[in-house]
Amino acid sequence: MKVGIAGVTGKFARRLLTHLLDSSTSNGQESLTVKGYCRDPAKLPSSLFSSPNLELFQGSAFDHEALASFVQGCDVVVCCYLGDDKLMIEGQKALIDACDAATPPVPRYVSSDWALDYTKLELGELFPKDPMIHVKAYLESKQNVTGVHILVGGFMEPIFSSFFGIVDADSNVFRYWGDGSEIMEGTTYDDAARFTARVVLDRQASGVLRFVGGRATIKEIARPYEKVYGVPVMLERRGSLDDLYKTMHDLREKNAQDVYSYMSLFFYYYWVNGQTFVGPELDNARYPDVKPADWEAYMSSWPREHIKKSYFALNM
């Protein structure tokens, strides 16, 4: 089996590549070759770069000749792009077109999706997910390439980083919008990569697949935090969900160019308002060998003083 990974040097792609290469050495697996595509192969760690099961191809997202060479012979291509709308829409369309034009065509294309169920959103509601809506529609227009869309709720790691401003592990403060009863679906990057690897190797897997590690409210997440780290948590309510909606739109209207001043608020709102839930009906049981961490298990895997950096540690 030949698996292509576009954007192979990124955080998520490295985890996916690691799990795929591990599977290639497991007993009972069919022979596996991973073809990686990126602008700078030197960014891969030497432990991955030197794998005999990895072929690397260098090129940009819009180098059509390089893309054609990369996808040729692949049984499935996974897009791990992360960037602006041009890359996420036009870059993916170029990659999909290369898959469609290959001889024979690449039968499956795993879109760069993962976070939140964007299939329940209208264009413009959660603007960073608009590219996924466009790409899914583009894939549906293709007869030779079947789209695969893997949804995992929200990633757990950023919740403990400064990006969201939800958990302050230094002061043990949990800040939230709403009344605290809103469900947060979470999956670690590594477990999302494990599920993706299993989907990639499953030739019958197509369409939308949904996996989640843990579903809990912010108050339910705070309790295992206290248990794991042995410290009391202070819960700090920032306002209602209506307050959040008004705040995020006011910030965007005031200075649309300052995307990072409001983007996390948009993600938070649509993460917890119930509109983009991946569950509760999930596909976890399809791959029983993957045992994803819930919120408590994830916290147990990190010392408190390091958990705020767990997102950035994914680059290692």
Side-chain angles (χ1 to χ4, degrees):
M1 186 176 194
K2 284 194 175 183
V3 176
I5 302 178
V8 73
T9 57
K11 289 186 183 76
F12 185 84
R14 293 185 192 189
R15 300 310 310 150
L16 173 59
L17 176 58
T18 297
H19 292 304
L20 287 172
L21 293 177
D22 285 347
S23 74
S24 70
T25 61
S26 300
N27 292 330
Q29 296 288 343
E30 64 175 304
S31 61
L32 176 69
T33 298
V34 179
K35 301 176 72 175
Y37 188 79
C38 59
R39 288 176 297 180
D40 185 3
K43 289 184 177 180
L44 270 182
S46 58
S47 59
L48 298 174
F49 188 92
S50 60
S51 171
N53 295 92
L54 176 64
E55 298 177 11
L56 289 170
F57 294 77
Q58 187 170 7
S60 75
F62 300 97
D63 185 336
H64 299 287
E65 185 176 342
L67 286 171
S69 178
F70 159 62
V71 304
Q72 187 60 46
C74 285
D75 297 290
V76 57
V77 165
V78 186
C79 181
C80 291
Y81 291 165
L82 181 62
D84 61 19
D85 283 4
K86 180 179 180 181
L87 174 66
M88 299 307 292
I89 300 175
E90 300 307 322
Q92 286 204 76
K93 285 183 177 180
L95 184 56
I96 293 166
D97 287 345
C99 291
D100 192 35
T103 308
V106 178
R108 290 190 301 147
Y109 177 92
V110 181
S111 180
S112 184
D113 298 327
W114 291 288
L116 309 187
D117 189 348
Y118 66 89
T119 67
K120 301 172 183 176
L121 291 168
E122 298 294 330
L123 284 170
E125 286 188 310
L126 179 54
F127 62 94
K129 304 304 291 186
D130 283 355
M132 290 69 182
I133 298 174
H134 287 296
V135 169
K136 187 173 186 293
Y138 192 69
L139 276 166
E140 289 170 353
S141 74
K142 297 293 183 180
Q143 294 184 348
N144 298 318
V145 183
T146 298
V148 184
H149 307 276
I150 301 171
L151 308 177
V152 299
F155 288 114
M156 290 182 178
E157 287 87 348
I159 288 299
F160 296 85
S161 74
S162 59
F163 175 71
F164 276 108
I166 295 174
V167 177
D168 185 336
D170 292 324
S171 60
N172 306 311
V173 174
F174 279 48
R175 300 181 178 92
Y176 66 96
W177 298 84
D179 62 17
S181 66
E182 294 83 6
I183 293 290
M184 300 185 78
E185 297 178 324
T187 306
T188 68
Y189 268 85
D190 195 55
D191 286 333
R194 290 177 191 274
F195 278 122
T196 302
R198 294 293 289 110
V199 169
V200 165
L201 297 174
D202 179 358
R203 294 178 184 270
Q204 305 306 312
S206 63
V208 179
L209 296 111
R210 297 173 167 86
F211 309 100
V212 168
R215 304 180 85 246
T217 68
I218 192 70
K219 295 178 180 179
E220 291 169 339
I221 296 170
R223 286 196 289 271
Y225 182 97
E226 292 181 323
K227 173 186 172 184
V228 169
Y229 298 126
V231 294
V233 165
M234 182 171 71
L235 291 163
E236 183 180 298
R237 185 173 184 262
R238 304 185 69 181
S240 67
L241 290 185
D242 287 341
D243 293 332
L244 171 57
Y245 187 88
K246 182 178 186 304
T247 298
M248 69 196 199
H249 281 284
D250 285 349
L251 287 170
R252 191 180 187 190
E253 184 176 347
K254 181 180 178 180
N255 188 0
Q257 298 302 313
D258 188 9
V259 175
Y260 288 100
S261 71
Y262 55 82
M263 183 167 66
S264 65
L265 298 178
F266 273 79
F267 266 109
Y268 187 97
Y269 178 79
Y270 286 103
W271 191 351
V272 303
N273 77 342
Q275 186 174 343
T276 64
F277 281 166
V278 173
E281 298 298 321
L282 301 170
D283 293 300
N284 290 34
R286 183 176 180 129
Y287 308 112
D289 55 312
V290 180
K291 309 291 184 185
D294 60 13
W295 288 99
E296 181 173 346
Y298 164 64
M299 288 183 278
S300 297
S301 68
W302 285 93
R304 183 171 66 89
E305 60 270 22
H306 293 157
I307 195 168
K308 64 183 178 181
K309 299 179 180 179
S310 63
Y311 173 69
F312 304 101
L314 294 167
N315 271 331
M316 299 172 61

